[in-house]
């Protein structure tokens, strides 16, 4: 199934709560990315990591945090500072040999 | 930074007709232009891409054209089928070797009526 696994598929957040979205890949890709997708809009880059123990802010990083302690894992935390978190979140990894971006199946986050 | 505009936002065609989706980009340095197809509730999947050293690329019923002078590129689907119904995204990048450089268009919802 593409080698990138996102979990959970659906997630609900209460007011003031931090939640963490999981992204795991077994493709041996160095680079990983988090995108946010809102209805009727394109994908916007939240954070990216080109290599283990390093990550950079994307276009809409405010209210989010990430870590990259292992090559296979790039979890995204949606903090209480993100006031409008309802969206579809997509994780991706990059195959430099074939110059292709592979996406996970996504997590739909909603606010209770 | 790069800005990608995509039109139309929705497109309805009859099965067997052709569909054309157009994108414009702002940064003349962009040189990689992929197209992704996203079916409802599923992940985007790369369907075709083009680099700036060619003007057209075909893969069966799908083709992409690029006009670097005008800074626009288009996706052409011929003989559309119901399974082509999906949201299509274009993107532009300064380099094919950097997923973080991709800027996406807003998407086009294609509906193919049987």
């Amino acid at each position: 199934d593409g080698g990138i696994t996102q979990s959970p598929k659906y997630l609900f957040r209460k007011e003031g709560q931090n939640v963490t979205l999981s992204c795991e890949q077994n493709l041996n890709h160095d680079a990983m990315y988090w995108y946010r997708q809102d209805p009727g809009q394109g994908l916007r880059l939240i954070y990216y990591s080109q290599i283990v123990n390093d990550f950079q802010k994307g276009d809409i990083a405010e209210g989010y945090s990430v870590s990259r302690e292992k090559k296979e894992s790039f979890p995204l935390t949606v903090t209480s500072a993100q006031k409008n978190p309802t969206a579809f979140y997509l994780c991706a990894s990059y195959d430099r040999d074939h110059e292709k971006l592979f996406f996970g199946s996504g997590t739909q986050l909603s606010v209770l | 930074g790069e800005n990608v505009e995509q039109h139309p936002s929705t497109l309805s065609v009859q099965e067997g007709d052709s569909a054309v989706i157009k994108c414009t980009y702002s940064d003349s340095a962009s040189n990689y232009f992929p197209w992704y197809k996203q079916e409802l509730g599923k992940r985007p999947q790369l369907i075709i891409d083009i680099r700036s050293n060619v003007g057209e690329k075909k893969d069966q019923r799908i083709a992409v054209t690029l006009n670097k002078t005008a800074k626009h590129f288009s996706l052409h689907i011929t003989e559309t089928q119901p399974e082509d119904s999906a949201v299509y995204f274009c993107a532009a990048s300064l380099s094919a070797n950097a997923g973080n450089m991709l800027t996406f268009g807003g998407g086009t919802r294609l509906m193919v009526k049987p």
Side-chain angles (χ1 to χ4, degrees):
Chain A
D1 199 17
I4 304 177
T5 303
Q6 287 187 242
S7 61
K9 191 172 177 67
Y10 300 97
L11 187 58
F12 296 91
R13 193 190 89 167
K14 294 180 182 177
E15 202 72 39
Q17 185 182 39
N18 293 353
V19 291
T20 298
L21 285 61
S22 170
C23 179
E24 304 276 332
Q25 54 100 359
N26 60 4
L27 301 169
N28 200 36
H29 293 167
D30 287 313
M32 297 184 74
Y33 310 85
W34 274 106
Y35 292 92
R36 172 179 169 140
Q37 185 176 22
D38 292 282
Q41 296 191 32
L43 283 66
R44 293 183 289 169
L45 184 65
I46 305 172
Y47 267 99
Y48 63 97
S49 169
Q50 300 279 41
I51 200 165
V52 176
N53 293 321
D54 183 62
F55 51 83
Q56 305 293 332
K57 292 182 179 181
D59 300 321
I60 55 166
E62 187 174 349
Y64 301 97
S65 66
V66 294
S67 63
R68 188 82 188 278
E69 296 175 2
K70 298 186 299 181
K71 187 176 187 177
E72 302 79 18
S73 180
F74 191 40
L76 173 75
T77 296
V78 184
T79 74
S80 56
Q82 173 49 248
K83 297 307 178 187
N84 184 24
T86 298
F88 190 56
Y89 291 86
L90 284 161
C91 177
S93 68
Y94 192 74
D95 178 356
R96 284 202 174 93
D97 293 335
H98 297 93
E99 298 178 333
K100 308 289 185 197
L101 192 66
F102 291 92
F103 286 92
S105 55
T107 294
Q108 176 64 49
L109 175 63
S110 303
V111 177
L112 286 176
Chain B
E2 177 64 278
N3 182 50
V4 177
E5 300 280 345
Q6 185 172 345
H7 299 281
S9 56
T10 60
L11 179 60
S12 182
V13 300
Q14 205 67 40
E15 182 178 359
D17 288 350
S18 294
V20 180
I21 302 170
K22 299 181 179 180
C23 289
T24 60
Y25 60 99
S26 60
D27 192 339
S28 57
S30 289
N31 60 11
Y32 175 64
F33 308 92
W35 286 88
Y36 289 86
K37 175 184 179 181
Q38 185 179 27
E39 296 178 29
L40 189 63
K42 297 192 176 179
R43 71 189 76 195
Q45 296 202 320
L46 180 70
I47 56 172
I48 195 167
D49 56 11
I50 192 168
R51 286 165 174 78
S52 59
N53 58 343
V54 297
E56 183 175 2
K57 185 177 179 180
K58 277 187 178 180
D59 183 2
Q60 299 181 343
R61 296 186 296 108
I62 294 173
V64 56
T65 58
L66 171 65
N67 184 327
K68 284 220 73 177
T69 303
K71 291 189 284 187
H72 66 70
F73 56 111
S74 300
L75 178 72
H76 304 252
I77 306 174
T78 58
E79 300 171 26
T80 53
Q81 301 167 4
E83 51 265 37
D84 294 329
S85 296
V87 177
Y88 292 81
F89 292 98
C90 63
S93 172
L94 286 170
S95 167
N97 195 24
N100 55 290
M101 302 293 279
L102 279 172
T103 300
F104 287 86
T108 296
R109 182 173 299 280
L110 174 64
M111 294 170 284
V112 180
K113 295 180 285 186

